[in-house]
């Protein structure tokens, strides 16, 4: 018998799990031209059901990768929320309607809904164009990290060994493969195999709330069926979410005794199927009717677990993301959004380290930033789930949830649920200094949208579209009014400081790429009027291309623009703003203190070999 040889390979990044977190990470790394592989034990991708809500911030992230337009084209926009409560006649009645998104700086003043399979397809098609495909029917069987400290600290090493087993190979071909990876990302869901291999605990509790979910095309006389509807009734709570192709999703609260198997204490799907769940929803929606026109398209049951992993990283070589490191209820629509934003936060850091542009210590900020967010999310989720699942305030139930209290909570946390208000604390990637120079650009938060006018052709541009996820730091130079001789002198002095050999621009320049510095993209924004402005007056550093100079002025029609400086809280003296590759404000400096940015980049960047 010939001895079968187990294939052996090396890869920069191995991603285990091809759900939303894994695919967001894979697509980002493929865009960064990082050598990445993705494996998933499922034979096929998700076809229906699963998660479906995308928050305003996540739409912005999709847009930054060039896939936002397809998401908007295929999904349903959710602009309005309707609140229903018990009526005097024993049914429910409309209490109020309100905007679904309450974060004032959201670029997209709505959520979108689209089933998870379609969302995954957007990533899969984008990755395919970059020659990255998911390797399906493939599961890991062992994972080990080298104990050699020299190997762990060597950026060129591949210290993580993973054995993979293929479940669908023809007879005679090797089923096993050994991969040595620089980094492994465990994005393999709430029951994460990767997490368990390293004995990472999930800390928190399982709530007592059990929920059922139904997808259908409804026949109904419920007037808010195409709005997000939050229904409190004396029979329980229901959440309706409009979906693509005339579908809706119905979440309903279920009673323990109907679902739990007393012998095991676990949810037993044999005890309640979609027909019984539909009856529960109908009781809560009375006097309105609800009938599926083409049957139940998808359904599930679950107990809400609100838990966060004790750590997100093992030696900064194996990192977990998405449901593998946090689980919570779907009521506030955060699960898939949190997962994809974990991956968005992680991908640029891995890419910069793999390229040799950043110290491996930068990866520590993944856990410090995203674990704090996950803990905040769980705290919010507990409160929101309790309010949503609680009995409504009625004459018989004086301790119930008052409609106005629930509505105020919904609106108060709009910044959080939209993803807009996520704040990262000071670290090597967030320099907490000079906030007063730009009070409207919060250090550690995403750069808010605004439209500026391109100087060369008066073409209005959304500034977020100038900050794509291309793994470069964007340096926004708010010059003030360059026609003012005093300000012009300040700007020229700043440029001279930036062109010294010890300045970060030169210190971290890529050899052989003098004119187009690959790590930084400089965008210049002048305060003034477009009519008399000549952008060629700017020093060449501030206009590496004619498309890089903008003016804070109204557009040609006078419809919008012209107040960007005041919106961002920037005075006439201007400011330098460093925006991270994920679109978050990393540092702010005065024009005459370029050394503040030198110090910021020196805390994590590496000089090119």
């Amino acid at each position: 018998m010939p001895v079968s040889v187990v294939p052996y390979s090396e890869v920069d990044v191995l991603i285990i799990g091809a759900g939303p977190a894994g695919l967001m990470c894979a697509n980002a790394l493929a865009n960064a031209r990082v050598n990445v592989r993705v494996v998933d034990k499922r034979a096929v991708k998700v076809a229906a059901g699963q998660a479906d809500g995308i928050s305003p911030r996540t739409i912005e992230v999709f847009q930054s990768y060039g896939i936002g337009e397809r998401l908007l084209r295929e999904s349903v926009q959710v602009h309005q929320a309707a609140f229903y409560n018990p009526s005097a006649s024993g049914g429910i009645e409309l209490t109020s309607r309100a905007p679904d998104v309450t974060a004032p700086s959201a670029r997209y003043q709505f959520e979108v809904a689209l089933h998870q399979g379609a969302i995954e397809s957007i990533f899969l098609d984008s990755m395919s164009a970059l020659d990255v495909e998911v390797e399906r029917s493939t599961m890991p069987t062992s994972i080990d990290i080298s104990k050699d400290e020299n190997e762990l600290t060597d950026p060129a090493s591949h210290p993580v060994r993973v054995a993979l087993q293929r479940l669908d190979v023809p007879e005679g071909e090797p089923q096993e493969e050994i991969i040595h990876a620089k980094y492994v990302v465990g994005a393999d869901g709430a029951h994460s195999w990767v997490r368990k291999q390293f004995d990472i605990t999930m800390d928190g509790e399982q709530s007592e709330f059990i929920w059922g979910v139904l997808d259908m095309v409804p026949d109904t006389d419920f007037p808010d069926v195409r709005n997000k509807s939050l229904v409190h009734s004396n029979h329980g709570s229901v959440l309706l979410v409009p979906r693509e192709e005339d579908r809706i999703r119905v979440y309903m609260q279920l009673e323990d005794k109907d679902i739990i198997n007393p012998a095991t204490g676990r949810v037993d799907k044999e005890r309640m199927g979609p027909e019984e769940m539909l009856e529960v929803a109908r009781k809560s929606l009375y006097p309105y009717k609800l009938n599926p026109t083409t049957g139940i398209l998808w359904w599930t049951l679950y107990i809400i677990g609100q838990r966060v992993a004790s750590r997100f990283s093992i030696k900064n070589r194996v990192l977990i993301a998405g449901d593998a490191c946090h689980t919570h209820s779907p009521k506030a629509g955060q699960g898939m959004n949190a997962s994809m934003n974990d991956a968005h936060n992680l991908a640029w850091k891995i890419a910069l380290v793999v390229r040799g542009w950043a110290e491996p210590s930068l990866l520590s900020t993944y856990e410090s930033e995203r674990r704090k967010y996950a803990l905040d999310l769980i705290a919010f989720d507990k409160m929101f789930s309790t309010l949503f699942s609680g009995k409504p305030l009625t004459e018989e139930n004086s301790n119930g949830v008052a409609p106005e209290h629930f509505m105020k909570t919904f609106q108060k946390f709009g910044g959080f649920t939209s993803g807009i208000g996520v704040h990262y604390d000071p670290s090597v990637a967030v320099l907490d200094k000079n906030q007063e120079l730009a009070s409207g650009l919060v250090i550690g938060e995403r750069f808010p949208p605004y439209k500026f006018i391109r100087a060369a052709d008066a073409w209005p541009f959304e500034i977020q579209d100038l900050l794509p996820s291309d793994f470069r730091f964007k340096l926004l130079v708010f010059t003030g009014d360059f026609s003012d001789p005093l300000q012009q002198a300040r700007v020229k002095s700043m440029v001279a400081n930036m062109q010294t050999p010890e300045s970060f621009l030169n210190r971290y320049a890529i050899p052989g790429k003098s004119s187009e510095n690959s790590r930084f993209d400089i965008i210049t924004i002048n305060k003034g009027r477009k009519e008399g402005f000549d952008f060629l007056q700017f020093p060449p550093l501030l206009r590496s291309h004619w498309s890089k100079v903008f003016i804070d002025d109204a557009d040609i029609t006078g419809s919008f623009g012209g107040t960007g400086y005041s919106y961002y809280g920037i005075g006439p003296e201007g400011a330098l703003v460093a925006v991270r590759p994920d679109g978050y404000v990393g540092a702010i400096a005065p024009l005459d203190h370029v050394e503040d940015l030198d110090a910021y980049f020196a805390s994590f960047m590496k000089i090119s070999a």
Side-chain angles (χ1 to χ4, degrees), residues 143-158:
I143 182 168
D144 298 287
I145 302 182
S146 169
K147 294 182 171 58
D148 182 338
E149 281 301 321
N150 291 330
E151 194 177 359
L152 288 171
T153 54
D154 178 1
S157 74
H158 296 74

Side-chain angles (χ1 to χ4, degrees), residues 434-445:
N434 303 316
Q435 181 64 76
E436 71 283 355
L437 294 176
S439 57
L441 297 174
V442 180
I443 298 167
E445 293 188 11

Side-chain angles (χ1 to χ4, degrees), residues 52-349:
D52 62 355
I54 301 270
S55 72
R57 172 59 191 155
T58 308
I59 306 172
E60 292 179 358
V61 171
F62 271 61
Q63 182 71 9
S64 77
Y65 287 105
I67 52 178
E69 287 179 9
R70 177 170 165 187
L71 174 68
L72 292 171
R73 189 168 63 246
E74 294 184 11
S75 60
V76 165
Q77 296 182 11
V78 183
H79 289 261
Q80 190 167 237
F83 298 84
Y84 280 75
N85 285 282
S87 66
S89 57
I92 55 167
E93 63 184 2
L94 177 67
T95 308
S96 59
R97 292 190 181 111
D100 182 46
V101 173
T102 56
S105 80
R107 176 177 179 181
Y108 304 97
Q109 289 286 333
F110 49 83
E111 292 180 278
V112 300
L114 182 65
H115 76 85
Q116 185 174 319
I119 292 163
E120 291 179 6
S121 289
I122 295 173
F123 287 126
L124 292 167
D125 291 347
S126 173
M127 289 157 52
S128 185
L130 298 163
D131 296 322
V132 177
E133 306 281 349
V134 175
E135 299 169 45
R136 299 197 179 275
S137 299
T138 303
M139 60 184 286
T141 55
S142 70
I143 182 168
D144 298 287
I145 302 182
S146 169
K147 294 182 171 58
D148 182 338
E149 281 301 321
N150 291 330
E151 194 177 359
L152 288 171
T153 54
D154 178 1
S157 74
H158 296 74
V160 191
R161 179 191 182 276
V162 182
L164 294 179
Q165 184 178 14
R166 303 199 182 282
L167 308 176
D168 62 348
V169 292
E171 203 171 326
E173 290 188 23
Q175 281 188 302
E176 194 178 31
E177 179 188 1
I178 303 298
I179 294 185
H180 282 255
K182 290 181 178 176
Y183 300 96
V184 170
V185 177
D188 50 344
H191 304 289
S192 169
W193 176 88
V194 175
R195 186 184 71 228
K196 289 169 185 168
Q197 301 315 298
F198 293 98
D199 297 322
I200 297 173
T201 58
M202 289 293 277
D203 303 333
E205 60 206 39
Q206 187 159 290
S207 77
E208 61 275 26
F209 304 126
I210 305 171
W211 287 79
V213 190
L214 299 172
D215 284 356
M216 70 176 82
V217 176
D219 171 25
T220 181
D221 56 356
F222 182 67
D224 282 287
V225 72
R226 298 309 299 173
N227 288 319
K228 180 197 274 189
S229 296
L230 302 97
V231 178
H232 267 124
S233 85
N234 289 321
H235 299 285
S237 301
V238 173
L239 171 66
L240 300 181
V241 181
R243 285 273 301 280
E244 73 282 358
E245 297 173 356
D246 291 342
R247 298 174 186 181
I248 63 166
R249 170 162 289 185
V250 185
Y251 293 94
M252 79 282 311
Q253 186 184 349
L254 303 170
E255 295 288 335
D256 291 22
K257 59 181 171 33
D258 297 334
I259 321 291
I260 300 293
N261 181 328
T264 63
R266 297 173 72 95
V267 167
D268 184 353
K269 283 195 173 184
E270 302 296 315
R271 289 172 166 258
M272 179 169 278
E275 290 303 322
E276 293 88 346
M277 288 161 57
L278 183 57
E279 269 312 306
V280 172
R282 283 173 173 152
K283 277 185 188 172
S284 294
L285 288 171
Y286 177 81
Y288 302 104
K289 67 174 187 176
L290 178 67
N291 298 305
T293 59
T294 55
I296 302 298
L297 304 174
W298 184 81
W299 68 281
T300 194
L301 294 167
Y302 50 83
I303 296 181
I304 298 166
Q306 291 156 324
R307 298 189 179 94
V308 178
S310 54
R311 52 196 174 127
F312 286 16
S313 166
I314 301 93
K315 300 186 183 298
N316 279 341
R317 289 290 189 168
V318 176
L319 306 109
I320 57 173
D323 289 352
C325 49
H326 45 72
T327 60
H328 32 80
S329 81
K331 292 314 94 39
Q334 297 306 297
M336 183 165 54
N337 291 288
S339 295
M340 292 192 291
N341 281 288
D342 284 348
H344 178 56
N345 180 288
L346 177 59
W348 70 270
K349 296 170 183 176

Side-chain angles (χ1 to χ4, degrees), residues 321-374:
D323 289 352
C325 49
H326 45 72
T327 60
H328 32 80
S329 81
K331 292 314 94 39
Q334 297 306 297
M336 183 165 54
N337 291 288
S339 295
M340 292 192 291
N341 281 288
D342 284 348
H344 178 56
N345 180 288
L346 177 59
W348 70 270
K349 296 170 183 176
I350 290 180
L352 265 57
V353 173
V354 167
R355 285 178 179 180
W357 290 7
E359 297 287 352
S361 57
L362 176 65
L363 291 168
S364 298
T365 64
Y366 167 64
E367 179 173 314
S368 63
E369 291 181 344
R370 295 306 295 175
R371 190 166 185 274
K372 176 186 179 290
Y373 168 74

Side-chain angles (χ1 to χ4, degrees), residues 473-544:
F473 278 82
K474 314 303 182 300
L475 187 64
L476 302 186
V477 183
F478 289 89
T479 59
D481 185 353
F482 195 68
S483 65
D484 174 355
L486 191 62
Q487 194 61 16
Q488 190 171 127
R490 282 195 192 116
V491 170
K492 287 180 175 175
S493 172
M494 174 208 72
V495 167
N497 288 333
M498 275 197 195
Q499 290 178 318
T500 61
E502 59 273 15
S503 158
F504 68 92
L505 279 184
N506 289 315
R507 189 174 165 84
Y508 305 111
I510 312 295
K513 295 198 177 182
S514 52
S515 59
E516 182 67 18
N517 192 319
S518 292
R519 295 198 201 186
F520 305 99
D521 187 18
I522 298 176
I523 297 161
T524 303
I525 302 171
N526 182 61
K527 184 178 173 64
R529 299 300 302 275
K530 57 189 173 294
E531 288 80 8
F533 181 67
D534 175 7
F535 75 94
L536 295 174
Q537 293 174 353
F538 275 122
L541 181 72
L542 301 184
R543 51 177 178 87
S544 62

